[in-house]
Amino acid sequence: MPETSEHSAAAGHRFDTVLIANRGEIAVRIQRACRELGLKTVAICSEADREAPYGSTADSFLCIGPSSAAKSYLNQDAILLATRLAGAGAIHPGYGFLSENAAFADAVEKAGLTFIGPTASSIAIMGDKISAKRAMMAAGVPCVPGPDTALPDDPATIEHIALEIGYPVIIKAAGGGGGRGMRVVPSANSLHEAIALTREEARKAFGSPSLYMEKFLEHPRHIEIQVICDDHGNVVWLGHRDCSMQRRHQKVVEEAPAAGIAPDIIQPVGLACVQACLQIGYRGVGTFEFLYEDGAFYFIEMNTRLQVEHPVTELTSGLDIVQAQIRVAQGHVLDLTQGDVTCEGHSFECRINAEDSDSFLPSAGVVTHLALPAGPGIRVDTHIHAGYKVSPYYDSLIAKLIVHAPTRAEAMTRMREALAGTEIEGISTNIPFLRALFEDGAFARGETDIHYLEQWLKLRRAA
Ligand code: ADP
């Protein structure tokens, strides 16, 4: 870790205690990073998480509300009050919950605390996919063909936009997230119906009816670039990840680097991301998500937070992304330059979910037996233990299995071994499905796109 020169930490950014406004594996992960940096931690929980082990490993632990996330992990006033009561100077939002809520970031800063993340205005720009696209186009980042403006109401103008882009198109909610608020339109016949349905969905789910349209790419891969920026104009990108293995637009398996991408193809994209960060005055960690088709990259959105899949980049780059994120929030100068970033070997991450392996329906209950794999190049990020009660209130992610090996083929072998050594009983998990996926030939050859997993599941069901 870098030297911590006093003058490099800007006034107002100094803190020695961090409240972690999250739960589960990411609360555990952030606590670990804080401890290694010599920072004290405050854990919060809902009533459902009262017995959660991440509470007993923190320096203090406060229950802030009932089980429903809206009344606890999303309750801004309760979190700010807990921060004050516990004497914390900073809030780490983790991912999900309030991590991309500009109003919360603003409230944290206005309360004289540090939000471990970008400024509220960066979150607001990137949280609206239309303004994000506009900012990216202005910074020279390649985007999916389609206007960087909201769809108008006039049917004739809408039809004209679709014709200009060329069918198939995709209608997306400007405020969408979590794979929701999107609809593919194969031809003009279903255009207006798709817009009406998506608009209604967007109004209900995201509180804004604003929509935009872009080209629907038919066989792209999802490739993303991790960046980290300090408050002093320094930005580095940490290589790339492939997150094409998706079910219902939700990532299931991630890897770093994306296989078969030549350095001269990715290099200009990485530099464009750096340029974009400088242009919008970005601070903290972030991810630029792209679709990659026929040798070209198209920006789709930026995540202004730590991502679930950050460990694959940690294992290939050898950097602790969470520690780096906290240090830049403290105002420290980034202690590495682009030339220092070297990515080695290959890493995979499997998201282990408490869900049925065939129907994918969530599975709550008590973990009666747990055996986790270990060995060279194997990492498990989890908050569960034997006897842990998986509650039905939150996301079904219960563990992340991450492996690292010199080559992609070796990393796949290592993941098979790690999955074979993972035993979770008492609840259903997607482990059988993941084991089958890691036996798939096309996946092993790297011949998959974002639609592959859904097609694979369909064939599997039919068999
Ligand atoms: P969210 O914010 O909900 O995650 P994204 O814009 O990141 O939404 O898109 C999620 C996924 O949806 C992408 O990884 C990709 O699989 C699919 N997708 C989004 N835009 C397009 C597009 N223009 N063409 C094809 N697939 C798309």
Side-chain angles (χ1 to χ4, degrees):
M1 271 286 119
E3 53 170 290
T4 51
S5 57
E6 267 301 303
H7 69 274
S8 71
H13 285 295
R14 294 195 189 115
F15 51 84
D16 57 17
T17 306
V18 177
L19 180 132
I20 300 161
N22 218 301
R23 63 179 300 282
E25 69 84 20
I26 199 64
V28 175
R29 170 73 190 90
I30 297 165
Q31 268 186 32
R32 191 173 294 135
C34 287
R35 276 195 299 273
E36 288 186 10
L37 289 173
L39 297 167
K40 290 202 187 76
T41 57
V42 182
I44 57 164
C45 73
S46 67
E47 277 165 15
D49 282 333
R50 265 184 192 284
E51 306 299 319
Y54 73 81
S56 54
T57 51
D59 294 291
S60 45
F61 187 31
L62 295 168
C63 182
I64 61 154
S67 305
S68 137
K71 294 185 175 151
S72 50
Y73 300 107
L74 289 168
N75 184 340
Q76 303 188 24
D77 291 339
I79 292 170
L80 286 168
L81 181 62
T83 311
R84 232 169 288 135
L85 284 175
I91 297 182
H92 195 308
Y95 52 68
F97 296 129
L98 294 168
S99 61
E100 289 179 297
N101 186 314
F104 180 62
D106 194 41
V108 171
E109 296 281 334
K110 285 214 172 97
L113 306 163
T114 300
F115 180 76
I116 302 182
T119 59
S121 86
S122 288
I123 298 175
I125 293 173
M126 294 304 166
D128 178 300
K129 291 184 182 180
I130 300 172
S131 62
K133 191 165 183 175
R134 198 172 306 137
M136 289 307 114
M137 280 174 151
V141 176
C143 293
V144 182
D148 59 354
T149 47
L151 277 181
D153 289 324
D154 170 41
T157 315
I158 294 176
E159 285 163 26
H160 181 73
I161 295 171
L163 276 179
E164 283 232 310
I165 295 173
Y167 288 96
V169 296
I170 182 166
I171 310 295
K172 297 171 78 170
R180 293 179 309 143
M182 282 183 259
R183 201 163 258 101
V184 181
V185 184
S187 71
N189 294 340
S190 50
L191 179 64
H192 295 299
E193 192 198 347
I195 289 176
L197 288 171
T198 317
R199 212 184 273 290
E200 209 29 54
E201 215 170 86
R203 201 192 308 272
K204 279 199 199 121
F206 314 115
S208 156
S210 180
L211 303 179
Y212 67 111
M213 191 193 297
E214 60 188 24
K215 180 82 186 158
F216 177 69
L217 302 175
E218 295 186 71
H219 52 88
R221 288 165 65 188
H222 174 121
I223 296 182
E224 55 186 39
I225 290 185
Q226 171 81 57
V227 293
I228 177 145
C229 320
D230 67 17
D231 248 340
H232 309 272
N234 302 300
V235 185
V236 292
W237 61 286
L238 305 177
H240 42 103
R241 304 188 275 256
D242 187 320
C243 310
S244 301
M245 278 297 174
Q246 300 180 1
R247 191 183 149 264
R248 299 200 171 159
H249 303 304
Q250 292 274 60
K251 298 161 189 168
V252 175
V253 173
E254 299 99 341
E255 60 181 291
I261 305 290
D264 61 322
I265 290 189
I266 195 79
Q267 195 72 15
V269 187
L271 294 179
C273 294
V274 168
Q275 213 44 48
C277 289
L278 291 171
Q279 209 145 313
I280 62 170
Y282 195 78
R283 170 191 82 196
V285 301
T287 299
F288 289 79
E289 297 193 329
F290 293 90
L291 294 178
Y292 173 76
E293 188 173 85
D294 300 332
F297 282 88
Y298 304 96
F299 171 82
I300 44 171
E301 70 161 343
M302 181 179 193
N303 285 159
T304 53
R305 55 169 166 83
L306 185 66
Q307 282 186 303
V308 176
E309 60 270 29
H310 75 274
V312 290
T313 300
E314 292 192 322
L315 294 190
T316 48
S317 69
L319 295 166
D320 187 312
I321 293 175
V322 187
Q323 283 191 20
Q325 179 190 29
I326 296 169
R327 287 183 50 78
V328 297
Q330 287 177 310
H332 293 292
V333 174
L334 210 53
D335 65 319
L336 78 166
T337 62
Q338 197 60 53
D340 300 325
V341 178
T342 48
C343 293
E344 279 168 22
H346 205 96
S347 177
F348 279 99
E349 173 181 279
C350 279
R351 298 190 187 196
I352 312 280
N353 295 327
E355 64 189 13
D356 185 88
S357 204
D358 295 315
S359 68
F360 297 102
L361 287 172
S363 166
V366 176
V367 175
T368 52
H369 166 77
L370 179 72
L372 295 172
I378 295 178
R379 163 175 165 181
V380 185
D381 282 16
T382 187
H383 56 290
I384 69 162
H385 54 85
Y388 181 85
K389 192 168 168 216
V390 177
S391 88
Y393 295 101
Y394 316 108
D395 192 90
S396 59
L397 183 75
I398 49 169
K400 301 186 314 203
L401 204 53
I402 310 124
V403 299
H404 184 237
T407 65
R408 187 171 188 269
E410 287 164 301
M412 279 200 105
T413 304
R414 187 155 282 170
M415 182 58 90
R416 280 184 213 112
E417 178 64 18
L419 283 165
T422 309
E423 296 164 18
I424 304 176
E425 287 167 19
I427 53 162
S428 301
T429 73
N430 61 342
I431 292 172
F433 148 76
L434 291 165
R435 284 181 186 148
L437 187 60
F438 272 82
E439 296 299 335
D440 183 65
F443 179 29
R445 292 188 296 275
E447 294 167 357
T448 52
D449 62 22
I450 58 167
H451 306 299
Y452 183 78
L453 184 55
E454 297 273 7
Q455 288 155 1
W456 183 82
L457 283 167
K458 226 184 254 172
L459 288 174
R460 198 163 165 246
R461 275 188 207 112

